[in-house]
Amino acid sequence: MKTFYTILALTLAAEFADAKTYTLGSGKWTDAKIWNNDYPGTTIKADDIVIITGQVTVNTGIVVDGMLTVEKGAFMVGMKDLVISKSGKFINNGNTVMKRIINEGTIDNNLVIESMNDMDNKGLIENNNNVVAGNNFENFGGDAKGNGGAYYVNNNVFTSPSSNFGVQVKVFYGNEIENSEKTAPTASLFLNASFNSNNGVVLNIANPQKLNIISYRLEKSLDGSNYTLLGILSDNNGNTNFTDSKIGSNLTYYRVKALSANGEEIILPIATAKVPAPVSPKAYSYAN
């Protein structure tokens, strides 16, 4: 037993030793100089922390598995996607403007976050100031909370039955004002992505209102812009599954176009998936 605890302690010490904190000034994200030539890439690892203190131009898509902080008076701006994974946390005390923001983890906003296109939330947002969505705000399985904050949405607000808005925030969309205590429009179709034991992505298309859908066109993208066809599926009593076993280590985007019986095409909110980091062999130890 003593050997087991010794190995466990060494394992934990090694994992914490690998964690890094990066502090950035001003410049382009991909410029190694602003990282003191210790560039971590486009994914912030689960144990790493990145702190932005200046004005950073984001010229590549960013995935946050660890923690990303924009300090007061700092800026993070880019025509790229920002993805906060389930293990990730984004703290914004300054100004952030990105092309699209996808949150499956936690966002703590204390000033201004703007997504020039859609903003998708499947996690927790603590919005204590202003969040702006240039197109739609899609709150699917997420919790959009905050203390006195506001959500400004240029077009539509979509939610699933398991989503909610906090009572201490307001939601402004189109030319109307919606108090967060009211129920936002409920989505009729939505797409979820999860991993199976073989690191394949299981895509579930839910049709809770049992709309008359003839087919689903399932598409896949590695950059969030250019999509290829994965397959065409039929509705299976309001619940349809598909497994994508061909997935690499990069962030993958999935979308579905549903064709209804009356000829209407419905595009579901995008789902994302990223293969979890492999478990280190040193984490597996046995007591003697």
Side-chain angles (χ1 to χ4, degrees):
M1 184 63 71
K2 181 179 179 180
T3 303
F4 171 76
Y5 285 120
T6 301
I7 294 173
L8 179 60
L10 291 173
T11 299
L12 293 173
E15 289 177 351
F16 281 113
D18 290 338
K20 292 185 178 181
T21 297
Y22 304 87
T23 301
L24 305 185
S26 299
K28 293 182 179 180
W29 184 278
T30 57
D31 185 355
K33 293 179 181 178
I34 69 171
W35 299 90
N36 294 320
N37 293 315
D38 190 17
Y39 177 53
T42 59
T43 298
I44 301 173
K45 296 178 182 178
D47 294 325
D48 288 354
I49 299 172
V50 173
I51 302 171
I52 295 175
T53 61
Q55 299 181 7
V56 173
T57 300
V58 183
N59 55 344
T60 181
I62 302 298
V63 177
V64 181
D65 289 338
M67 181 182 295
L68 171 63
T69 298
V70 178
E71 293 284 32
K72 186 177 180 180
F75 293 79
M76 182 174 74
V77 180
M79 278 296 293
K80 300 294 181 179
D81 291 354
L82 173 65
V83 178
I84 300 97
S85 71
K86 291 180 180 179
S87 65
K89 184 172 185 178
F90 175 44
I91 302 173
N92 181 64
N93 298 318
N95 290 276
T96 295
V97 180
M98 298 294 290
K99 179 182 177 182
R100 178 170 54 191
I101 298 174
I102 300 170
N103 177 47
E104 297 183 355
T106 302
I107 293 177
D108 187 353
N109 177 51
N110 299 303
L111 198 56
V112 178
I113 293 177
E114 180 176 356
S115 177
M116 287 179 276
N117 202 327
D118 293 343
M119 185 165 185
D120 302 339
N121 181 45
K122 296 180 181 179
L124 170 64
I125 301 177
E126 289 284 358
N127 176 30
N128 304 313
N129 209 308
N130 294 323
V131 167
V132 180
N135 190 28
N136 298 324
F137 185 89
E138 297 161 349
N139 193 29
F140 290 90
D143 199 356
K145 300 168 62 178
N147 183 14
Y151 295 85
Y152 295 90
V153 183
N154 194 45
N155 288 323
N156 302 310
V157 176
F158 299 102
T159 71
S160 66
S162 59
S163 306
N164 66 81
F165 285 87
V167 297
Q168 299 298 322
V169 295
K170 291 182 182 262
V171 180
F172 299 78
Y173 65 98
N175 295 317
E176 300 181 45
I177 300 176
E178 180 189 351
N179 188 300
S180 62
E181 294 176 352
K182 298 179 181 178
T183 301
T186 301
S188 54
L189 297 166
F190 52 92
L191 172 65
N192 289 314
S194 60
F195 286 98
N196 61 21
S197 59
N198 296 318
N199 273 347
V201 179
V202 179
L203 302 166
N204 173 254
I205 305 169
N207 180 8
Q209 296 183 13
K210 301 293 180 67
L211 300 181
N212 191 359
I213 301 297
I214 296 176
S215 64
Y216 297 106
R217 178 184 174 91
L218 181 59
E219 299 176 334
K220 174 180 178 178
S221 172
L222 298 179
D223 60 7
S225 299
N226 302 298
Y227 285 84
T228 58
L229 179 66
L230 271 181
I232 297 177
L233 312 174
S234 59
D235 190 81
N236 184 19
N237 196 29
N239 198 42
T240 300
N241 294 318
F242 180 90
T243 299
D244 180 15
S245 58
K246 297 179 180 179
I247 181 167
S249 59
N250 295 326
L251 182 71
T252 305
Y253 301 79
Y254 296 95
R255 75 179 179 190
V256 170
K257 295 180 179 179
L259 180 64
S260 68
N262 61 9
E264 179 185 8
E265 184 180 76
I266 305 169
I267 300 178
L268 280 63
I270 291 169
T272 61
K274 184 177 183 295
V275 175
V279 178
S280 171
K282 66 178 180 285
Y284 292 99
S285 303
Y286 297 92
N288 291 332

